[in-house]
Amino acid sequence: MVSLICTLQDHRDEVYWCAFSPTLLATCSGDKTIRIYNTNDFSELPFSPLSGHRYGVHCCSFSVCGTYLFTCSTDALTIIWSMATGEVKTKFEHPGGSPVRVCSLSPDSSLLLSGASDGTLALWDFHSKKLRKSKAVTEATVMACCFTPCGQMFVTGCTSGDIKVWDLDMKQLYAQRDAHDMGVACCHFAPQFDIDFSSVEFRLASCGQDSQLKVWIVSQHGAAACEMKLLHTLTGQSAPVLSCAFSSDGELLVSGSVDKTVTVYNASDGVLLHTLKRHESFVTACAFSPTLPWIATGSMDKKVNVWRIADRDSGQAQPRNPSCQGAGRKLSGHSRLLVSDWSEEDVLAWLSEEGLEELVTTFTTNNIDGPELLCLTKETLASELSIESVGLRGKVLRKVEALKAELTGLDAPDEFLCPITREVMKDPVIAADGYSYEREAIESWISAKNRSSPMTNLPLPTTLVMPNRSLKTAIGRWTATQ
């Protein structure tokens, strides 16, 4: 069962893209703006809408932990925004000044890829803010690009209908000619992948002007050999399919079409599960939340719909985040989560561990969760929480500042921190959930008979891990500057 839980109608022009972070929803539009919503109540953040592009904004994407938002536009710019303040952190101008149609961030947030109307790609080093390589990859417009979950390859799709696989040096590894007749509109990899001794397999979804949604197996054998094989051709929509996305567990696949419908499929067998019909015009965007049983869809009707998917086995809505369930867990337990992802129960557990039990009732009454905890000031503690003791207010603020320092790795980029240890990684590896971890930490996690992902709490399809060389290089460069 799928139910519509919210319709957002703030954009003044058609919606081009939508994206979720663990706590936020971003939407972008032909009205030149990006709007940011809190997924707790779908209220806009104080700095929303973001206005920095001169023309329509075609694509938006969050970094893995939601610290940054990336947007690209017809103005040839890809802009990086801070999600703490809404400020512009960096602007990348596409070589040649061609309109940028799509952008994608590598899973470890070290590389940024942008595709343009003139058929060129630009690959940027996110941390050094330098152009790594630019190349013409097609004579048509690049409409789609995305990295494999391991971050070692990426694919592109263009209006000529071809899908191509590339390594990080922009060497073409494989070309699927006429993957979609009349053009590719969107591509998206499932977060999970399979490793079998000498080969790695990924699932890729693509859609296009031929009114089809396709699922491919992209295989890499050895250092260079690569191939694509068609797994499913899904025909649940009667007009061009403009957007597609896998769920975070890789079990569902959603697509949006010119026929105004949204379809949800079982990604394993291609069975059509739901057809949603609440948009009044072309459905141009769709995205799954990484932590909630939600889908966001955007349309040329200027609206964004948010849908809730009931659990397929129980018929009940899934919990907000399985790894956040239950109170009384140790700090070492919820150190696997960003503070911004803490529930109210996590905050209460932290208060008890820090010897601040007297504030449990006050924090409970005021519904203080992780994001609220990070925003506490002397003024809010006094006026809003009515904590009269100056000494107690000071103690709380010192504890919060110590917590920030502990969990941010002394100002290291969040992507450099192991999600388990919250320390800068020395030997980063990619697990089957698509996240990067310190090798020793994830191997210890697995050896303790934890076959679930530390980040998603979902079963790991395999316990094998792959070295993340690009992330290790980026960390090395950052460490050398400290």
Side-chain angles (χ1 to χ4, degrees), residues 285-340:
C286 57
F288 277 97
S289 166
T291 55
L292 296 160
W294 291 354
I295 299 171
T297 57
S299 168
M300 292 181 70
D301 62 11
K302 309 177 186 179
K303 299 176 183 178
V304 176
N305 286 335
V306 182
W307 313 80
R308 179 187 296 275
I309 306 175
D311 183 85
R312 294 180 295 283
D313 296 321
S314 66
Q316 299 298 316
Q318 300 167 3
R320 176 179 178 86
N321 188 332
S323 62
C324 295
Q325 300 291 305
R329 291 182 288 113
K330 300 294 185 181
L331 180 59
S332 58
H334 42 76
S335 67
R336 294 194 300 271
L337 299 172
L338 292 175
V339 181
S340 59

Side-chain angles (χ1 to χ4, degrees), residues 120-154:
T120 60
L121 286 177
L123 185 63
W124 306 85
D125 185 297
F126 170 53
H127 299 293
S128 69
K129 310 298 187 292
K130 294 180 179 179
L131 179 65
R132 177 166 169 166
K133 191 152 188 172
S134 178
K135 181 177 181 178
V137 298
T138 177
E139 295 180 357
T141 296
V142 178
M143 295 295 294
C145 65
C146 58
F147 285 91
T148 56
C150 68
Q152 305 302 308
M153 302 185 297
F154 61 86

Side-chain angles (χ1 to χ4, degrees), residues 312-440:
R312 294 180 295 283
D313 296 321
S314 66
Q316 299 298 316
Q318 300 167 3
R320 176 179 178 86
N321 188 332
S323 62
C324 295
Q325 300 291 305
R329 291 182 288 113
K330 300 294 185 181
L331 180 59
S332 58
H334 42 76
S335 67
R336 294 194 300 271
L337 299 172
L338 292 175
V339 181
S340 59
D341 292 338
W342 282 10
S343 65
E344 294 176 29
E345 289 77 13
D346 291 325
V347 172
L348 298 182
W350 175 77
L351 286 174
S352 298
E353 291 178 14
E354 296 297 328
L356 298 170
E357 294 90 344
E358 60 194 294
L359 296 177
V360 167
T361 300
T362 299
F363 275 52
T364 300
T365 302
N366 289 275
N367 304 113
I368 304 297
D369 58 10
E372 293 287 344
L373 180 68
L374 293 175
C375 293
L376 290 179
T377 65
K378 289 187 292 184
E379 291 73 19
T380 57
L381 288 172
S383 61
E384 297 181 23
L385 301 189
S386 302
I387 299 176
E388 297 180 358
S389 169
V390 175
L392 185 55
R393 293 200 299 267
K395 184 177 181 181
V396 172
L397 292 177
R398 287 193 298 273
K399 295 287 187 181
V400 170
E401 290 304 314
L403 180 64
K404 290 179 181 178
E406 175 187 349
L407 297 184
T408 56
L410 301 177
D411 296 326
D414 205 78
E415 293 77 13
F416 292 174
L417 306 181
C418 172
I420 298 175
T421 66
R422 300 306 298 164
E423 296 176 353
V424 175
M425 289 179 276
K426 298 177 181 178
D427 185 13
V429 295
I430 303 173
D433 59 0
Y435 289 93
S436 293
Y437 304 91
E438 179 64 42
R439 181 185 293 276
E440 182 179 353

Side-chain angles (χ1 to χ4, degrees), residues 191-197 199-203 217-218 220 432 461-462 464 466:
Q192 297 74 25
F193 54 91
D194 294 324
I195 307 174
D196 182 17
F197 298 105
S199 66
V200 185
E201 289 189 349
F202 310 94
R203 282 184 300 158
I217 297 296
V218 179
Q220 184 181 26
T462 175
L464 297 177
M466 294 178 61

